[in-house]
Amino acid sequence: MYPSSLVLVLTFAQIVLVFVGNRGATGSRPGSSHRLDVYIAGFFPYGEGVENGETGRGVMPSVKLALDHVNEHSTILRNYRLHMWWNDTECNAAVGMKSFFDMMHSGPHKLMLFGAACTHVTDPIAKASKHWHLTQLSYADTHPMFTKDAFPNFFRVVPSENAFNAPRLALLKEFNWTRIGTIYQNEPRYSLPHNHMVADLDAMGLDVVETQSFVYDVEESLRKLREKDVRIIYGNFNEFWARRVFCEAYKLDMFGRSYQWLVMGTYGNEWWAENDTDCTVDHVTTALESTILVDLLPLSTSGDITISGITADEYLTEYNSRRGGEYSRFHGYTYDGIWAVASAIQYVSQRKEHSLTHFEYRMKNWEDIFLEALKNTSFEGVT
């Protein structure tokens, strides 16, 4: 949890496993002997010591919960049982691609792909899946490179990092801040949303006084911002570099009442407390005071009844009862992602003359109807 005085958060293995999500039929559902099995393919980083493994382990309870809720729902996919085959991608592109090809060539056909969480796994699978005429839905990949034009078969329930610009632009309007400086880490995850933001700033007629990027050193970039007397600073960088940015900001006295930092900060808990700079943790903490970070809102706060018939708070109680010590900020998006998949499959089942059990890979007509389904899928979810 962020100390209230410190930061204001703007919330805006190659083992193939099968989940059988069915806790029993309810209402007027056909008996299980009359329901047909349909499958999707899941890609998760999962193992201990695996990069982003905590994400996969943290969302897995929400996958199981969503499958249970879908398969016991009285109207969604009432003639089918939805299952997931999944692999541990180890957050490794080669392992992820092997997982993809293994699942395409073994077991029942998978109607859709669900994942991944690591961009260097999501990217090659998204490129390969297009040749199989498959659609893909990600529950956790926020990389801004996945645009509709570049990846027409790729969808996601989690927002792109481009979406983090909107609340920061709203703050500019609210406080009438018109003279802006920017600093960003020079790699696509941070440069792409930065460039979108600068275009939006120009369109708003605001004065972007100085734009700085960095690769290995932030000191010179910050000095140039200070020389231009920039007081409102937009930052796009990962948490490793965030500690270095604010360490240098402390040394250059670029913090406090005279400065306002607006940072895209989907970071871990107490990320500033890692002692890996030549500043003390107290120095970094001091420089962060009054910084505004934008982050994902893990769950909706509206209190509305969702597609599954429960509220976000009721979902959270069930998720917490299943997760043990694991947690991921993407758990709600994963739950909603499974419902998006189920809703899309429901759409296809009502518009396709053939049963879903006749689904085939590399068939343009199946691809077209799934694309249409996903583009027409809308519902109230826990996020």
Side-chain angles (χ1 to χ4, degrees), residues 39-318:
Y39 298 83
I40 59 173
F43 302 91
F44 302 86
Y46 194 82
E48 295 286 347
V50 167
E51 181 186 353
N52 285 343
E54 68 284 353
T55 296
R57 295 190 300 273
V59 303
M60 202 58 70
S62 54
V63 170
K64 298 176 182 178
L65 184 58
L67 288 172
D68 283 348
H69 287 176
V70 165
N71 285 326
E72 68 182 9
H73 199 275
S74 60
T75 57
I76 297 291
L77 291 181
R78 64 186 309 274
N79 295 315
Y80 296 91
R81 285 187 303 267
L82 180 62
H83 308 283
M84 175 185 285
W85 286 49
W86 69 274
N87 271 1
D88 179 0
T89 66
E90 300 179 16
C91 205
N92 179 292
V95 174
M97 284 304 294
K98 184 178 188 305
S99 299
F100 170 74
F101 287 117
D102 285 348
M103 285 201 279
M104 293 301 99
H105 288 288
S106 63
H109 282 11
K110 287 77 177 179
L111 302 179
M112 290 178 59
L113 308 179
F114 192 69
C118 305
T119 298
H120 41 277
V121 175
T122 307
D123 181 27
I125 290 177
K127 289 171 178 172
S129 64
K130 181 69 178 74
H131 297 287
W132 291 68
H133 294 300
L134 285 168
T135 51
Q136 179 175 351
L137 180 74
S138 176
Y139 55 90
D141 201 322
T142 61
H143 200 294
M145 68 184 278
F146 296 111
T147 63
K148 181 176 65 175
D149 291 337
F151 295 86
N153 285 35
F154 180 86
F155 298 78
R156 52 182 158 198
V157 286
V158 68
S160 163
E161 285 169 20
N162 285 324
F164 288 68
N165 290 334
R168 292 188 289 178
L169 293 171
L171 281 169
L172 294 184
K173 294 179 181 178
E174 177 68 23
F175 294 106
N176 198 29
W177 291 330
T178 59
R179 194 171 182 274
I180 318 298
T182 69
I183 179 171
Y184 65 95
Q185 187 175 340
N186 196 5
E187 60 177 72
R189 180 177 290 276
Y190 305 100
S191 62
L192 289 173
H194 169 271
N195 294 340
H196 279 284
M197 183 176 60
V198 169
D200 289 339
L201 291 170
D202 287 341
M204 293 167 60
L206 300 182
D207 183 12
V208 183
V209 179
E210 183 70 18
T211 291
Q212 287 292 316
S213 66
F214 63 86
V215 178
Y216 301 114
D217 178 58
V218 299
E219 181 182 0
E220 185 61 27
S221 296
L222 288 179
R223 287 188 181 279
K224 290 181 179 178
L225 289 170
R226 191 178 68 167
E227 288 170 3
K228 293 293 182 71
D229 195 31
V230 174
R231 301 306 178 101
I232 309 298
I233 305 174
Y234 272 23
N236 283 39
F237 33 73
N238 65 26
E239 65 183 70
F240 173 86
W241 280 106
R243 290 188 290 272
R244 280 148 185 78
V245 167
F246 286 102
C247 173
E248 293 300 328
Y250 178 84
K251 295 175 186 177
L252 296 171
D253 201 29
M254 295 176 66
F255 64 94
R257 292 174 61 88
S258 298
Y259 287 87
Q260 182 60 66
W261 287 81
L262 301 166
V263 178
M264 186 180 72
T266 53
Y267 304 152
N269 288 336
E270 298 190 3
W271 57 270
W272 58 85
E274 187 82 22
N275 194 6
D276 58 358
T277 70
D278 56 0
C279 294
T280 67
V281 172
D282 284 344
H283 290 162
V284 175
T285 302
T286 299
L288 273 168
E289 188 166 344
S290 298
T291 293
I292 296 175
L293 290 89
V294 290
D295 199 350
L296 291 170
L297 183 66
L299 290 174
S300 169
T301 58
S302 69
D304 292 340
I305 300 295
T306 68
I307 187 174
S308 60
I310 60 176
T311 66
D313 285 344
E314 289 168 334
Y315 154 77
L316 182 59
T317 298
E318 289 201 56

Side-chain angles (χ1 to χ4, degrees), residues 318-334:
E318 289 201 56
Y319 170 72
N320 285 337
S321 72
R322 294 185 178 217
R323 69 181 179 87
E326 302 291 351
Y327 177 81
S328 168
R329 71 176 73 206
F330 299 107
H331 67 89
Y333 295 95
T334 304

